[in-house]
Amino acid sequence: QVQLVESGGGLVQAGGSLRLACTASGLTYGAYAMGWFRQAPGKEREWVSCISTLVFGITSYYGDSVRGRFTISRDNSKYTVYLQLDSLKPEDTAMYYCAAELRLSGGCSSGPNRYNYWGQGTQVTVSS
């Protein structure tokens, strides 16, 4: 059974940092690109970042609103992808979701419909 479990969310002040983690099980980890999305109440789900599979050279991508502040990485020995959130702003407040995309090529997708599996989410709240 495929399972993605997020952790690391919490309440922080503006300007603070968090590190989110997503641990995968039940899938061929190296064949999946991994992505992070977020969704605030009443808003559409927004793509945050993604990182490519292990088959080719690893590449990563970021949405315009987080580029320069967030960093995605993966620890393959632990089957875990991380999202480091720095310089947090109140508008970053959302439920953050990890997702896995089966790919046979390099890169990764920004569209949520391309992802095969999703975690349950972890809440990030940033106070001003």
Side-chain angles (χ1 to χ4, degrees), residues 5-32:
V5 179
E6 302 98 330
S7 62
L11 173 64
V12 297
Q13 292 184 315
S17 297
L18 288 171
R19 189 179 73 162
L20 309 184
C22 171
T23 299
S25 61
L27 51 73
T28 304
Y29 177 80
Y32 287 81

Side-chain angles (χ1 to χ4, degrees), residues 16-17 38 62 64-71 84-92 96:
S17 297
R38 65 187 183 186
Y62 300 90
D64 291 342
S65 64
V66 306
R67 188 176 298 109
R69 298 188 298 120
F70 293 3
T71 305
Q84 178 69 38
L85 297 77
D86 295 320
S87 302
L88 283 163
K89 305 174 181 179
E91 51 263 46
D92 295 318
Y96 283 69

Side-chain angles (χ1 to χ4, degrees), residues 39-107:
Q39 188 167 24
K43 301 287 184 69
E44 292 284 315
R45 185 162 296 189
E46 176 189 16
W47 173 69
V48 175
S49 182
C50 66
I51 189 165
S52 63
T53 72
L54 306 180
V55 178
F56 305 101
I58 296 177
T59 54
S60 57
Y61 304 87
Y62 300 90
D64 291 342
S65 64
V66 306
R67 188 176 298 109
R69 298 188 298 120
F70 293 3
T71 305
I72 192 170
S73 62
R74 55 195 304 170
D75 184 336
N76 303 315
S77 67
K78 297 180 179 179
Y79 304 106
T80 299
V81 61
Y82 299 95
L83 187 68
Q84 178 69 38
L85 297 77
D86 295 320
S87 302
L88 283 163
K89 305 174 181 179
E91 51 263 46
D92 295 318
T93 295
M95 185 73 74
Y96 283 69
Y97 297 93
C98 173
E101 177 196 10
L102 180 64
R103 289 185 67 88
L104 301 177
S105 60

